[in-house]
Amino acid sequence: MLEIFSVCKQYTSGRGHITALTDISFSVAKGQSFTLAGKSGSGKTTLLNCLGALEQPDGGRILYNGQDICSMSSRQRAYFQRRDIGFVFQTANLLPWLTVAENLMLPLELNSIYGKKQKGRIEELLACFDLVGYEKAMPGEMSGGENQRIAFARAIAHKPALILADEPTSSLDSVTGYNLIELILSLCDVQGSTLVVATHDPELIELTNNRLYLKDGRIEAAT
Ligand SMILES: Nc1ncnc2c1ncn2[C@@H]1O[C@H](COP(=O)(O)OP(=O)(O)OP(=O)(O)O)[C@@H](O)[C@H]1O
Ligand SMILES: [Mg+2]
């Protein structure tokens, strides 16, 4: 599903030229769960952002089902991002002025899922994430863990083929984080989604099928 060839990325900042990724090549099969592991600053977020076309690599190619995502037009890219991808960020990133149900509606509306189908999907998601009765709650009235569960529910709402999650459990205690990843993996299994997750939590790393260890922007090991 994803083929990454010799991806490189540099930044120019107040610290001068920073090489964030050097010669990264790997592939991710459909339905696989995949961890990007490595210490802080090793390049996990940069790589994940390149996979989701949120950032452009300076060199190399990223193919999604054979199509080079780096050469997509901005329109194609936006369509790819809203149809094929579910993003989960380190902090939940829910829209604070919308209720839980309204946050869950967003990816559904963007993918033309309305009416009864939309309502049914929201009910299904709330049940899956043990949040029945939270429809009208506002993100600010819920705990960090509850927010992160809604963020995951929102990411998978439109059944995207690819879920990209950047340290999604780093603000949760280890048991809550572990349970959440187990739940996501089982939902990905059911709907055939692929999961790529950046984490440095050793317990979570073990849960996925495959792992890529990054060090200073290079691949240190792949298992
Ligand atoms: N926008 C940016 N401008 C300049 N340098 C950046 C930028 N984003 C990341 N970097 C640098 O690129 C390198 C890789 O950063 P990245 O955020 O990908 O690491 P990470 O593995 O996700 O770290 P963490 O575990 O702390 O989230 C670091 O040296 C970082 O300082
Ligand atoms: Mg990061």
Side-chain angles (χ1 to χ4, degrees):
M1 169 186 255
L2 277 174
E3 295 166 283
I4 293 94
F5 300 103
S6 301
V7 162
C8 304
K9 177 80 185 170
Q10 288 203 335
Y11 292 109
T12 305
S13 71
R15 290 184 293 147
H17 291 296
I18 307 286
T19 302
L21 297 174
T22 307
D23 198 19
I24 302 288
S25 300
F26 65 103
S27 57
V28 184
K30 184 173 171 357
Q32 203 180 6
S33 58
F34 203 99
T35 304
L36 302 177
K39 286 190 185 150
S40 179
S42 59
K44 304 181 295 296
T45 297
T46 307
L47 182 53
L48 210 58
N49 287 348
C50 289
L51 298 183
L54 294 172
E55 289 191 66
Q56 283 271 5
D58 298 319
R61 296 198 321 148
I62 301 175
L63 303 187
Y64 175 76
N65 293 333
Q67 192 186 3
D68 189 345
I69 64 172
C70 309
S71 59
M72 284 177 177
S73 67
S74 55
R75 218 184 167 80
Q76 284 173 321
R77 190 164 55 240
Y79 191 61
F80 160 68
Q81 287 168 328
R82 75 169 178 224
R83 181 197 54 192
D84 293 304
I85 303 188
F87 289 104
V88 186
F89 301 97
Q90 190 164 352
T91 50
N93 263 305
L94 299 177
L95 297 181
W97 56 88
L98 298 182
T99 65
V100 163
E102 287 162 347
N103 268 283
L104 294 177
M105 256 178 225
L106 289 175
L108 299 172
E109 301 245 333
L110 286 170
N111 286 282
S112 308
I113 300 166
Y114 305 112
K116 271 193 187 155
K117 246 184 154 176
Q118 182 186 96
K119 196 163 174 279
R121 182 65 176 149
I122 292 175
E123 281 168 10
E124 187 178 59
L125 289 165
L126 291 173
C128 275
F129 286 87
D130 199 18
L131 291 165
V132 173
Y134 280 64
E135 290 82 344
K136 294 191 177 139
M138 304 301 286
E141 301 165 354
M142 305 187 314
S143 73
E146 288 164 342
N147 268 276
Q148 203 54 304
R149 264 141 69 199
I150 297 292
F152 260 113
R154 185 179 62 177
I156 67 160
H158 55 299
K159 303 190 177 173
L162 177 62
I163 295 169
L164 300 176
D166 193 359
E167 306 209 30
T169 59
S170 58
S171 58
L172 310 178
D173 66 81
S174 58
V175 176
T176 309
Y178 191 89
N179 291 341
L180 186 55
I181 296 296
E182 274 202 319
L183 175 61
I184 292 305
L185 286 171
S186 69
L187 293 173
C188 283
D189 243 11
V190 171
Q191 62 188 47
S193 299
T194 305
L195 175 72
V196 181
V197 56
T199 183
H200 37 227
D201 183 332
E203 282 195 50
L204 300 186
I205 291 171
E206 289 307 316
L207 284 175
T208 58
N209 303 136
N210 293 84
R211 292 153 281 275
L212 195 74
Y213 292 89
L214 297 175
K215 189 179 179 191
D216 300 331
R218 292 175 184 272
I219 296 179
E220 187 181 33
T223 60

